[in-house]
Amino acid sequence: METTVPERGTGGRGAPAPRRPGRSPALSSGTAQAAARVAAFAVCQAALVAGAGLLITGPAHELWPMTAEDSLVEALEGARTATLTTASTIVSALGDTGTVVGLTLLACLALVVVPRLPLWRETVFLAAAVSLQSAVFLLITASVDRTRPDVERLDDSPPTSSYTSGHTGAATALYAGLAVLVLSRVRSPWRAPLAALLLLVPLLVGLARLYRGMHHPTDVAGGLMNGSLSLLVVGRAALAGHSWAARPPADAMDIAVAAAERRPAPVRKHAAVIVNPTVTDAATRDRLRLVLAQHGYHDTPFIDTTAQDPGGGQTAGALRAGAELIVVCGGDGTVRTVADALAGTGVPLVLVPCGTGNLLARNLGLPLGPADALAAGLTGEPRTLDLGRIEGDGFPAVHFTAMAGAGLDAAMLEETSDRAKSALGWPAYVLAGAKGLRAPRMRLTVSLDGGPELHRTARMVLIANIGTVQAGAAPVPAARPDDGLLDLAVFDPRGAGGWLRAAGVLLRGGGRGGDAKEPGAHGPVPGGRKTAGTSRAADSARGPVEFHTFRRAELSFTRPQPREVDGDPVGPGLRLAAEVRPGALTVLLPARER
């Protein structure tokens, strides 16, 4: 029997509370309960470790093995050599506060940025385990008073108790935590040796602390216990497959979708969702299903793209089946192929960014969260955008939504392997770009809208329908997706000064909005509106970046150049021809974006 939970008012009497897209009471994650359990078990952890310390310094002080600890530390003092001391300095530094904090931050950043989909649970697991270990350590040193060994100490003695070893505890939480993540997430043959090496680090840190005369053996054992218990407590709450997170039942999403579908809603158009499965996980799909149901789109099919057909065939099939609205969930390549199939049809598109670039969505100001972007589109209004149509020797005419080009940017995309992208993320492109800088400049001829030919050298050329890319950089700052024009940028920096000037153009978005000039004109176009044939760098004084606008352009290269369309390499060639198709694509956008 199902129970309907009334919605609470937030303002006036009876006003329903706004629901975050993709959320439902059936999908409560139990985060509060999990946090309460972590807190309770953390208290037990502190009591256990502190109790062991009070036992060691109290009733068990005269019992073995505590009576043998001084002899062991003195033996290590007598075995010191210059080589061992240097090695112990290096190993001990692996447990220093600065080292542990820095490596934890880097590891958490990598868990969010490097994978195709951020590993939020794993990030919380590692950060919370290291933090919990530190909190318990500080509490214990304040409650257990133990002097350090009576030997020559190689490090300055901190004002904390000898029990427990903070270096060992921190190293256990960090390196053993990384070992857990390697074993659970990595599928390579070297995962077991790497995990074993990570697990060895806390033991070596503990041995180094004994060698340097900073702790008794039981202090090191207490540090190992504190770090291990921190991993256990946080892991039970944060990592998938454990019980403390109070996860919803397996059919909770089905319950939420069914409840949303039962609510009265206006009759909606038949929709289809084109999904790139390599960048969209099951949880994202479920959230999108719930958002669709919340907005009255019931039983909407999700159609996966494939390596052989990255979206065009699926979109055409959905249109033949009667789809009146297409939702695309993927990166720039998926958006391009879907837009190519929709060009000129008038069927509206909803953008759901799920890839790494998502350039069109960024330039349109859409939310980058998939559920939020879908909700924004479903409640938005239709707006027509331009598409670029491009062709060249060796590939047929296709449409693009963001940018196409030749030279350095295409070489970066071409040289970056899938393996490098999976391992490094976007920095892999930077490494490939450094390699491409060794290639000679290209020589090209440009013809814009039937005007006189322009002869140029360049590192790369970009044909743009949008202006900005990741991190706010604006390689073609004046490009707009709804102005009925395309923009051409010719990058030809020379020397360190030229590269710095080019970087300045990218970072400050120079030339944005009213610096377009008619050929031969002495000032900007009235009102700052671009017109075809515009140039923003006079032939006699060209800078490292030269801009033009056009409706149709012909680019010819003296030798084959690498080329790309919306981030997908299309092979080297001698020619590119591009033209704008004004208003060819209809996209649903929030009214505030108009």
Side-chain angles (χ1 to χ4, degrees), residues 290-479:
L290 180 55
V291 173
L292 288 164
Q294 289 171 339
H295 289 82
Y297 293 88
H298 302 162
D299 301 320
T300 301
F302 280 61
I303 309 170
D304 284 355
T305 65
T306 65
Q308 296 73 28
D309 188 348
Q314 292 87 345
T315 304
L319 295 177
R320 288 194 298 270
E324 301 168 285
L325 173 69
I326 297 294
V327 178
V328 58
C329 185
D332 295 317
T334 308
V335 171
R336 183 194 67 76
T337 54
V338 171
D340 188 51
L342 289 177
T345 64
V347 175
L349 176 69
V350 174
L351 295 172
V352 177
C354 292
T356 54
N358 305 314
L359 297 185
L360 183 59
R362 292 174 188 271
N363 279 261
L364 295 174
L366 288 171
L368 295 183
D372 293 329
L374 178 57
L378 295 179
T379 58
E381 300 176 359
R383 171 176 162 185
T384 58
L385 302 180
D386 306 333
L387 288 176
R389 184 178 183 274
I390 192 166
E391 60 182 324
D393 50 316
F395 72 94
V398 294
H399 291 90
F400 66 93
T401 63
M403 294 181 181
L408 181 60
D409 70 316
M412 289 190 331
L413 296 165
E414 204 170 70
E415 292 291 333
T416 306
S417 66
D418 291 337
R419 184 173 183 179
K421 286 186 285 187
S422 298
L424 301 176
W426 64 264
Y429 293 110
V430 178
L431 299 177
K435 179 180 177 181
L437 290 176
R438 297 195 296 268
R441 284 180 170 80
M442 71 175 84
R443 294 183 177 275
L444 70 152
T445 301
V446 180
S447 177
L448 302 175
D449 297 322
E453 291 185 344
L454 306 175
H455 299 279
R456 298 288 187 266
T457 61
R459 286 291 184 184
M460 70 177 182
V461 293
L462 291 178
I463 300 170
N465 191 39
I466 61 170
T468 60
V469 293
Q470 292 96 328
V476 194

Side-chain angles (χ1 to χ4, degrees), residues 36-181:
R37 290 194 177 191
V38 168
F41 277 90
V43 172
C44 296
Q45 171 188 340
L48 177 62
V49 180
L54 293 173
L55 183 64
I56 290 170
T57 57
H61 178 65
E62 299 298 332
L63 300 178
W64 189 91
M66 274 63 73
T67 55
E69 288 190 301
D70 291 339
S71 299
L72 176 60
V73 176
E74 291 169 358
L76 290 174
E77 180 188 26
R80 289 174 182 172
T81 66
T83 301
L84 289 177
T85 298
T86 300
S88 72
T89 301
I90 297 172
V91 174
S92 180
L94 295 176
D96 285 347
T97 300
T99 303
V100 170
V101 171
L103 290 179
T104 301
L105 291 175
L106 287 176
C108 291
L109 180 64
L111 289 169
V112 173
V113 174
V114 172
R116 289 181 181 272
L117 297 170
L119 302 178
W120 294 113
R121 283 181 176 272
E122 288 77 2
T123 303
V124 171
F125 162 70
L126 190 63
V130 173
S131 301
L132 175 59
Q133 182 281 143
S134 299
V136 173
F137 163 73
L138 292 175
L139 178 64
I140 291 171
T141 57
S143 58
V144 179
D145 185 17
R146 191 181 198 188
T147 58
R148 297 187 182 273
D150 187 18
V151 296
E152 180 188 1
R153 292 188 285 275
L154 299 182
D155 294 329
D156 293 334
S157 298
T160 54
S161 169
S162 179
Y163 183 88
T164 64
S165 170
H167 281 65
T168 307
T172 302
L174 173 58
Y175 301 106
L178 290 174
V180 170
L181 298 183

Side-chain angles (χ1 to χ4, degrees), residues 509-546:
R512 193 178 186 89
D515 57 352
K517 296 184 180 180
E518 296 280 10
H522 298 287
V525 174
R529 185 175 180 82
K530 297 185 299 178
T531 60
T534 290
S535 172
R536 289 189 293 282
D539 287 359
S540 60
R542 291 194 300 272
V545 187
E546 178 183 355

